[in-house]
Amino acid sequence: MTVPPASALHPGLGRFEAFDIARERLTALGVHAACTRLPWSVHAPLTRARLAEPPSAVFFLAESPRRAASFAALEATLAGAARLGAEYVVTHLNWTEDVADRGRAEALAHDAAARIAGLARRHGVPVHVEVGGYTGGFQRVQEGVAAYV
């Protein structure tokens, strides 16, 4: 199944966020960002290499090839965000059925947070990590804080 790019520009309070932009529209996004002079961010992915993948599929806590693919997609998003002048990138760190053991999920979260921070530093673009919201994992404040300390 092919999922067409959303090519979404979400307006905010004096800013906008780009999400899942079709590759052929990246130049137009750069022109838009330069002309509006509004601060803006990218919600990962900026683009998708494979349209068969759903755009919001991030599996930083998976113990499968999807984990490596998620980091590769984030790195590509950060590179594009840096090139186009985005203020920051947003991604998710959700614990779903990827890992059955809570302790293992927490260890993967700590590792993912460190790797995400390293990618952000390498590309010079901060990453805002949204935790939870879609799942029952990492819902307590102390869990979210502990993952990033």
Side-chain angles (χ1 to χ4, degrees), residues 8-39:
L9 294 181
H10 301 287
L13 297 173
R15 62 178 307 109
F16 70 93
E17 183 172 88
F19 168 70
D20 192 28
I21 305 298
R23 288 184 187 274
E24 63 272 12
R25 298 184 74 186
L26 284 175
T27 300
L29 171 62
V31 170
H32 175 74
C35 291
T36 63
R37 300 194 189 279
L38 288 174

PDB file of all heavy atoms in Angstrom, residues 8-39:
ATOM      1  N   ALA A   8       2.296  18.595   4.589  1.00  0.00           N
ATOM      2  CA  ALA A   8       1.538  19.441   5.505  1.00  0.00           C
ATOM      3  C   ALA A   8       2.379  20.566   6.082  1.00  0.00           C
ATOM      4  O   ALA A   8       3.514  20.357   6.499  1.00  0.00           O
ATOM      5  CB  ALA A   8       0.979  18.586   6.641  1.00  0.00           C
ATOM      6  N   LEU A   9       1.811  21.739   6.098  1.00  0.00           N
ATOM      7  CA  LEU A   9       2.357  22.878   6.817  1.00  0.00           C
ATOM      8  C   LEU A   9       1.326  23.245   7.871  1.00  0.00           C
ATOM      9  O   LEU A   9       0.252  23.741   7.546  1.00  0.00           O
ATOM     10  CB  LEU A   9       2.606  24.073   5.883  1.00  0.00           C
ATOM     11  CG  LEU A   9       3.684  23.903   4.823  1.00  0.00           C
ATOM     12  CD1 LEU A   9       3.815  25.182   4.004  1.00  0.00           C
ATOM     13  CD2 LEU A   9       5.018  23.542   5.449  1.00  0.00           C
ATOM     14  N   HIS A  10       1.634  22.962   9.115  1.00  0.00           N
ATOM     15  CA  HIS A  10       0.705  23.225  10.210  1.00  0.00           C
ATOM     16  C   HIS A  10       1.005  24.600  10.801  1.00  0.00           C
ATOM     17  O   HIS A  10       2.106  24.822  11.301  1.00  0.00           O
ATOM     18  CB  HIS A  10       0.843  22.164  11.302  1.00  0.00           C
ATOM     19  CG  HIS A  10       0.590  20.778  10.817  1.00  0.00           C
ATOM     20  ND1 HIS A  10      -0.664  20.309  10.514  1.00  0.00           N
ATOM     21  CD2 HIS A  10       1.439  19.756  10.566  1.00  0.00           C
ATOM     22  CE1 HIS A  10      -0.585  19.062  10.100  1.00  0.00           C
ATOM     23  NE2 HIS A  10       0.686  18.699  10.120  1.00  0.00           N
ATOM     24  N   PRO A  11       0.027  25.527  10.755  1.00  0.00           N
ATOM     25  CA  PRO A  11       0.270  26.845  11.357  1.00  0.00           C
ATOM     26  C   PRO A  11       0.200  26.777  12.872  1.00  0.00           C
ATOM     27  O   PRO A  11      -0.515  25.958  13.442  1.00  0.00           O
ATOM     28  CB  PRO A  11      -0.877  27.700  10.800  1.00  0.00           C
ATOM     29  CG  PRO A  11      -1.971  26.720  10.515  1.00  0.00           C
ATOM     30  CD  PRO A  11      -1.286  25.418  10.149  1.00  0.00           C
ATOM     31  N   GLY A  12       0.971  27.631  13.519  1.00  0.00           N
ATOM     32  CA  GLY A  12       0.956  27.729  14.975  1.00  0.00           C
ATOM     33  C   GLY A  12       0.884  29.185  15.369  1.00  0.00           C
ATOM     34  O   GLY A  12       0.524  30.048  14.558  1.00  0.00           O
ATOM     35  N   LEU A  13       1.234  29.502  16.579  1.00  0.00           N
ATOM     36  CA  LEU A  13       1.229  30.877  17.050  1.00  0.00           C
ATOM     37  C   LEU A  13       2.509  31.563  16.591  1.00  0.00           C
ATOM     38  O   LEU A  13       3.569  31.428  17.211  1.00  0.00           O
ATOM     39  CB  LEU A  13       1.109  30.921  18.574  1.00  0.00           C
ATOM     40  CG  LEU A  13      -0.179  30.347  19.141  1.00  0.00           C
ATOM     41  CD1 LEU A  13      -0.109  30.291  20.658  1.00  0.00           C
ATOM     42  CD2 LEU A  13      -1.364  31.180  18.691  1.00  0.00           C
ATOM     43  N   GLY A  14       2.428  32.250  15.475  1.00  0.00           N
ATOM     44  CA  GLY A  14       3.586  32.949  14.953  1.00  0.00           C
ATOM     45  C   GLY A  14       4.661  32.048  14.410  1.00  0.00           C
ATOM     46  O   GLY A  14       5.828  32.432  14.352  1.00  0.00           O
ATOM     47  N   ARG A  15       4.304  30.850  13.990  1.00  0.00           N
ATOM     48  CA  ARG A  15       5.277  29.888  13.468  1.00  0.00           C
ATOM     49  C   ARG A  15       4.538  28.837  12.652  1.00  0.00           C
ATOM     50  O   ARG A  15       3.316  28.836  12.586  1.00  0.00           O
ATOM     51  CB  ARG A  15       6.057  29.237  14.601  1.00  0.00           C
ATOM     52  CG  ARG A  15       5.235  28.423  15.589  1.00  0.00           C
ATOM     53  CD  ARG A  15       6.068  27.744  16.672  1.00  0.00           C
ATOM     54  NE  ARG A  15       7.132  26.949  16.122  1.00  0.00           N
ATOM     55  CZ  ARG A  15       8.441  27.273  16.201  1.00  0.00           C
ATOM     56  NH1 ARG A  15       8.822  28.350  16.833  1.00  0.00           N
ATOM     57  NH2 ARG A  15       9.362  26.504  15.659  1.00  0.00           N
ATOM     58  N   PHE A  16       5.277  27.915  12.026  1.00  0.00           N
ATOM     59  CA  PHE A  16       4.649  26.782  11.355  1.00  0.00           C
ATOM     60  C   PHE A  16       5.536  25.552  11.481  1.00  0.00           C
ATOM     61  O   PHE A  16       6.704  25.651  11.839  1.00  0.00           O
ATOM     62  CB  PHE A  16       4.320  27.096   9.885  1.00  0.00           C
ATOM     63  CG  PHE A  16       5.511  27.233   8.968  1.00  0.00           C
ATOM     64  CD1 PHE A  16       5.976  26.141   8.249  1.00  0.00           C
ATOM     65  CD2 PHE A  16       6.136  28.457   8.795  1.00  0.00           C
ATOM     66  CE1 PHE A  16       7.066  26.268   7.388  1.00  0.00           C
ATOM     67  CE2 PHE A  16       7.223  28.590   7.933  1.00  0.00           C
ATOM     68  CZ  PHE A  16       7.680  27.497   7.231  1.00  0.00           C
ATOM     69  N   GLU A  17       4.936  24.388  11.203  1.00  0.00           N
ATOM     70  CA  GLU A  17       5.648  23.116  11.275  1.00  0.00           C
ATOM     71  C   GLU A  17       5.404  22.351   9.984  1.00  0.00           C
ATOM     72  O   GLU A  17       4.263  22.247   9.533  1.00  0.00           O
ATOM     73  CB  GLU A  17       5.160  22.310  12.474  1.00  0.00           C
ATOM     74  CG  GLU A  17       5.887  20.996  12.668  1.00  0.00           C
ATOM     75  CD  GLU A  17       5.500  20.337  13.974  1.00  0.00           C
ATOM     76  OE1 GLU A  17       4.506  19.585  13.984  1.00  0.00           O
ATOM     77  OE2 GLU A  17       6.186  20.598  14.975  1.00  0.00           O
ATOM     78  N   ALA A  18       6.478  21.833   9.402  1.00  0.00           N
ATOM     79  CA  ALA A  18       6.386  21.039   8.174  1.00  0.00           C
ATOM     80  C   ALA A  18       6.431  19.563   8.526  1.00  0.00           C
ATOM     81  O   ALA A  18       7.160  19.148   9.428  1.00  0.00           O
ATOM     82  CB  ALA A  18       7.544  21.388   7.238  1.00  0.00           C
ATOM     83  N   PHE A  19       5.651  18.761   7.791  1.00  0.00           N
ATOM     84  CA  PHE A  19       5.578  17.328   8.061  1.00  0.00           C
ATOM     85  C   PHE A  19       5.373  16.563   6.764  1.00  0.00           C
ATOM     86  O   PHE A  19       4.496  16.908   5.960  1.00  0.00           O
ATOM     87  CB  PHE A  19       4.415  17.048   9.020  1.00  0.00           C
ATOM     88  CG  PHE A  19       4.060  15.595   9.166  1.00  0.00           C
ATOM     89  CD1 PHE A  19       4.912  14.714   9.813  1.00  0.00           C
ATOM     90  CD2 PHE A  19       2.872  15.108   8.659  1.00  0.00           C
ATOM     91  CE1 PHE A  19       4.591  13.373   9.953  1.00  0.00           C
ATOM     92  CE2 PHE A  19       2.531  13.772   8.793  1.00  0.00           C
ATOM     93  CZ  PHE A  19       3.383  12.903   9.442  1.00  0.00           C
ATOM     94  N   ASP A  20       6.182  15.541   6.557  1.00  0.00           N
ATOM     95  CA  ASP A  20       5.971  14.582   5.473  1.00  0.00           C
ATOM     96  C   ASP A  20       5.819  15.282   4.118  1.00  0.00           C
ATOM     97  O   ASP A  20       4.843  15.093   3.420  1.00  0.00           O
ATOM     98  CB  ASP A  20       4.749  13.714   5.786  1.00  0.00           C
ATOM     99  CG  ASP A  20       4.626  12.516   4.867  1.00  0.00           C
ATOM    100  OD1 ASP A  20       5.649  12.024   4.365  1.00  0.00           O
ATOM    101  OD2 ASP A  20       3.480  12.071   4.643  1.00  0.00           O
ATOM    102  N   ILE A  21       6.806  16.064   3.763  1.00  0.00           N
ATOM    103  CA  ILE A  21       6.772  16.834   2.524  1.00  0.00           C
ATOM    104  C   ILE A  21       7.214  15.957   1.356  1.00  0.00           C
ATOM    105  O   ILE A  21       8.219  15.241   1.448  1.00  0.00           O
ATOM    106  CB  ILE A  21       7.700  18.076   2.624  1.00  0.00           C
ATOM    107  CG1 ILE A  21       7.334  18.927   3.846  1.00  0.00           C
ATOM    108  CG2 ILE A  21       7.676  18.891   1.338  1.00  0.00           C
ATOM    109  CD1 ILE A  21       5.951  19.514   3.843  1.00  0.00           C
ATOM    110  N   ALA A  22       6.474  16.027   0.252  1.00  0.00           N
ATOM    111  CA  ALA A  22       6.869  15.299  -0.954  1.00  0.00           C
ATOM    112  C   ALA A  22       8.227  15.830  -1.413  1.00  0.00           C
ATOM    113  O   ALA A  22       8.471  17.038  -1.375  1.00  0.00           O
ATOM    114  CB  ALA A  22       5.822  15.481  -2.047  1.00  0.00           C
ATOM    115  N   ARG A  23       9.106  14.951  -1.827  1.00  0.00           N
ATOM    116  CA  ARG A  23      10.463  15.355  -2.207  1.00  0.00           C
ATOM    117  C   ARG A  23      10.469  16.485  -3.247  1.00  0.00           C
ATOM    118  O   ARG A  23      11.296  17.389  -3.182  1.00  0.00           O
ATOM    119  CB  ARG A  23      11.244  14.160  -2.741  1.00  0.00           C
ATOM    120  CG  ARG A  23      11.616  13.176  -1.658  1.00  0.00           C
ATOM    121  CD  ARG A  23      12.471  12.044  -2.232  1.00  0.00           C
ATOM    122  NE  ARG A  23      12.676  11.031  -1.231  1.00  0.00           N
ATOM    123  CZ  ARG A  23      13.654  11.071  -0.320  1.00  0.00           C
ATOM    124  NH1 ARG A  23      14.481  12.068  -0.302  1.00  0.00           N
ATOM    125  NH2 ARG A  23      13.775  10.104   0.576  1.00  0.00           N
ATOM    126  N   GLU A  24       9.551  16.401  -4.191  1.00  0.00           N
ATOM    127  CA  GLU A  24       9.537  17.419  -5.247  1.00  0.00           C
ATOM    128  C   GLU A  24       9.068  18.786  -4.734  1.00  0.00           C
ATOM    129  O   GLU A  24       9.168  19.782  -5.430  1.00  0.00           O
ATOM    130  CB  GLU A  24       8.671  16.968  -6.439  1.00  0.00           C
ATOM    131  CG  GLU A  24       7.200  16.777  -6.127  1.00  0.00           C
ATOM    132  CD  GLU A  24       6.847  15.381  -5.623  1.00  0.00           C
ATOM    133  OE1 GLU A  24       7.756  14.592  -5.278  1.00  0.00           O
ATOM    134  OE2 GLU A  24       5.637  15.093  -5.570  1.00  0.00           O
ATOM    135  N   ARG A  25       8.598  18.856  -3.485  1.00  0.00           N
ATOM    136  CA  ARG A  25       8.140  20.123  -2.922  1.00  0.00           C
ATOM    137  C   ARG A  25       9.130  20.715  -1.915  1.00  0.00           C
ATOM    138  O   ARG A  25       8.868  21.751  -1.325  1.00  0.00           O
ATOM    139  CB  ARG A  25       6.776  19.923  -2.267  1.00  0.00           C
ATOM    140  CG  ARG A  25       5.731  19.491  -3.316  1.00  0.00           C
ATOM    141  CD  ARG A  25       4.365  19.378  -2.766  1.00  0.00           C
ATOM    142  NE  ARG A  25       3.857  20.727  -2.546  1.00  0.00           N
ATOM    143  CZ  ARG A  25       2.711  20.981  -1.951  1.00  0.00           C
ATOM    144  NH1 ARG A  25       1.965  19.997  -1.510  1.00  0.00           N
ATOM    145  NH2 ARG A  25       2.300  22.216  -1.778  1.00  0.00           N
ATOM    146  N   LEU A  26      10.279  20.080  -1.713  1.00  0.00           N
ATOM    147  CA  LEU A  26      11.251  20.588  -0.738  1.00  0.00           C
ATOM    148  C   LEU A  26      11.797  21.963  -1.118  1.00  0.00           C
ATOM    149  O   LEU A  26      11.977  22.823  -0.256  1.00  0.00           O
ATOM    150  CB  LEU A  26      12.399  19.596  -0.558  1.00  0.00           C
ATOM    151  CG  LEU A  26      12.068  18.372   0.284  1.00  0.00           C
ATOM    152  CD1 LEU A  26      13.242  17.398   0.282  1.00  0.00           C
ATOM    153  CD2 LEU A  26      11.691  18.757   1.695  1.00  0.00           C
ATOM    154  N   THR A  27      12.043  22.191  -2.388  1.00  0.00           N
ATOM    155  CA  THR A  27      12.531  23.508  -2.811  1.00  0.00           C
ATOM    156  C   THR A  27      11.497  24.571  -2.501  1.00  0.00           C
ATOM    157  O   THR A  27      11.826  25.647  -1.992  1.00  0.00           O
ATOM    158  CB  THR A  27      12.881  23.505  -4.313  1.00  0.00           C
ATOM    159  OG1 THR A  27      13.894  22.526  -4.535  1.00  0.00           O
ATOM    160  CG2 THR A  27      13.372  24.867  -4.771  1.00  0.00           C
ATOM    161  N   ALA A  28      10.235  24.284  -2.771  1.00  0.00           N
ATOM    162  CA  ALA A  28       9.165  25.240  -2.467  1.00  0.00           C
ATOM    163  C   ALA A  28       9.071  25.499  -0.966  1.00  0.00           C
ATOM    164  O   ALA A  28       8.819  26.634  -0.539  1.00  0.00           O
ATOM    165  CB  ALA A  28       7.829  24.723  -3.006  1.00  0.00           C
ATOM    166  N   LEU A  29       9.296  24.464  -0.149  1.00  0.00           N
ATOM    167  CA  LEU A  29       9.287  24.657   1.305  1.00  0.00           C
ATOM    168  C   LEU A  29      10.404  25.616   1.709  1.00  0.00           C
ATOM    169  O   LEU A  29      10.197  26.518   2.531  1.00  0.00           O
ATOM    170  CB  LEU A  29       9.458  23.319   2.031  1.00  0.00           C
ATOM    171  CG  LEU A  29       9.675  23.401   3.542  1.00  0.00           C
ATOM    172  CD1 LEU A  29       8.465  24.043   4.227  1.00  0.00           C
ATOM    173  CD2 LEU A  29       9.942  22.014   4.107  1.00  0.00           C
ATOM    174  N   GLY A  30      11.592  25.449   1.138  1.00  0.00           N
ATOM    175  CA  GLY A  30      12.705  26.347   1.435  1.00  0.00           C
ATOM    176  C   GLY A  30      12.397  27.783   1.059  1.00  0.00           C
ATOM    177  O   GLY A  30      12.696  28.720   1.809  1.00  0.00           O
ATOM    178  N   VAL A  31      11.765  27.978  -0.090  1.00  0.00           N
ATOM    179  CA  VAL A  31      11.382  29.326  -0.524  1.00  0.00           C
ATOM    180  C   VAL A  31      10.334  29.890   0.426  1.00  0.00           C
ATOM    181  O   VAL A  31      10.422  31.043   0.861  1.00  0.00           O
ATOM    182  CB  VAL A  31      10.863  29.307  -1.982  1.00  0.00           C
ATOM    183  CG1 VAL A  31      10.243  30.644  -2.361  1.00  0.00           C
ATOM    184  CG2 VAL A  31      11.989  28.934  -2.932  1.00  0.00           C
ATOM    185  N   HIS A  32       9.345  29.096   0.776  1.00  0.00           N
ATOM    186  CA  HIS A  32       8.292  29.532   1.710  1.00  0.00           C
ATOM    187  C   HIS A  32       8.903  29.954   3.047  1.00  0.00           C
ATOM    188  O   HIS A  32       8.573  31.014   3.590  1.00  0.00           O
ATOM    189  CB  HIS A  32       7.270  28.417   1.913  1.00  0.00           C
ATOM    190  CG  HIS A  32       6.224  28.727   2.927  1.00  0.00           C
ATOM    191  ND1 HIS A  32       5.203  29.615   2.676  1.00  0.00           N
ATOM    192  CD2 HIS A  32       6.053  28.293   4.195  1.00  0.00           C
ATOM    193  CE1 HIS A  32       4.434  29.715   3.747  1.00  0.00           C
ATOM    194  NE2 HIS A  32       4.921  28.911   4.688  1.00  0.00           N
ATOM    195  N   ALA A  33       9.790  29.132   3.575  1.00  0.00           N
ATOM    196  CA  ALA A  33      10.413  29.435   4.867  1.00  0.00           C
ATOM    197  C   ALA A  33      11.216  30.728   4.788  1.00  0.00           C
ATOM    198  O   ALA A  33      11.173  31.554   5.708  1.00  0.00           O
ATOM    199  CB  ALA A  33      11.314  28.272   5.298  1.00  0.00           C
ATOM    200  N   ALA A  34      11.934  30.938   3.700  1.00  0.00           N
ATOM    201  CA  ALA A  34      12.749  32.148   3.551  1.00  0.00           C
ATOM    202  C   ALA A  34      11.876  33.392   3.384  1.00  0.00           C
ATOM    203  O   ALA A  34      12.204  34.460   3.903  1.00  0.00           O
ATOM    204  CB  ALA A  34      13.688  32.001   2.358  1.00  0.00           C
ATOM    205  N   CYS A  35      10.761  33.248   2.685  1.00  0.00           N
ATOM    206  CA  CYS A  35       9.899  34.407   2.413  1.00  0.00           C
ATOM    207  C   CYS A  35       9.018  34.795   3.596  1.00  0.00           C
ATOM    208  O   CYS A  35       8.738  35.978   3.788  1.00  0.00           O
ATOM    209  CB  CYS A  35       9.022  34.140   1.194  1.00  0.00           C
ATOM    210  SG  CYS A  35       9.968  34.084  -0.342  1.00  0.00           S
ATOM    211  N   THR A  36       8.569  33.831   4.369  1.00  0.00           N
ATOM    212  CA  THR A  36       7.676  34.159   5.487  1.00  0.00           C
ATOM    213  C   THR A  36       8.442  34.739   6.664  1.00  0.00           C
ATOM    214  O   THR A  36       7.897  35.489   7.445  1.00  0.00           O
ATOM    215  CB  THR A  36       6.913  32.930   5.995  1.00  0.00           C
ATOM    216  OG1 THR A  36       7.842  31.980   6.510  1.00  0.00           O
ATOM    217  CG2 THR A  36       6.056  32.310   4.923  1.00  0.00           C
ATOM    218  N   ARG A  37       9.693  34.333   6.801  1.00  0.00           N
ATOM    219  CA  ARG A  37      10.546  34.751   7.920  1.00  0.00           C
ATOM    220  C   ARG A  37       9.972  34.344   9.286  1.00  0.00           C
ATOM    221  O   ARG A  37      10.387  34.853  10.306  1.00  0.00           O
ATOM    222  CB  ARG A  37      10.821  36.251   7.869  1.00  0.00           C
ATOM    223  CG  ARG A  37      11.519  36.676   6.600  1.00  0.00           C
ATOM    224  CD  ARG A  37      12.071  38.074   6.718  1.00  0.00           C
ATOM    225  NE  ARG A  37      12.564  38.564   5.454  1.00  0.00           N
ATOM    226  CZ  ARG A  37      13.748  38.285   4.922  1.00  0.00           C
ATOM    227  NH1 ARG A  37      14.575  37.507   5.553  1.00  0.00           N
ATOM    228  NH2 ARG A  37      14.118  38.784   3.773  1.00  0.00           N
ATOM    229  N   LEU A  38       9.026  33.439   9.291  1.00  0.00           N
ATOM    230  CA  LEU A  38       8.503  32.914  10.553  1.00  0.00           C
ATOM    231  C   LEU A  38       9.419  31.807  11.046  1.00  0.00           C
ATOM    232  O   LEU A  38       9.985  31.057  10.245  1.00  0.00           O
ATOM    233  CB  LEU A  38       7.104  32.316  10.364  1.00  0.00           C
ATOM    234  CG  LEU A  38       5.956  33.271  10.126  1.00  0.00           C
ATOM    235  CD1 LEU A  38       4.693  32.479   9.809  1.00  0.00           C
ATOM    236  CD2 LEU A  38       5.736  34.170  11.330  1.00  0.00           C
ATOM    237  N   PRO A  39       9.566  31.666  12.356  1.00  0.00           N
ATOM    238  CA  PRO A  39      10.282  30.488  12.848  1.00  0.00           C
ATOM    239  C   PRO A  39       9.460  29.246  12.504  1.00  0.00           C
ATOM    240  O   PRO A  39       8.230  29.304  12.461  1.00  0.00           O
ATOM    241  CB  PRO A  39      10.362  30.714  14.357  1.00  0.00           C
ATOM    242  CG  PRO A  39       9.293  31.684  14.666  1.00  0.00           C
ATOM    243  CD  PRO A  39       9.053  32.498  13.432  1.00  0.00           C
TER     244      PRO A  39
END
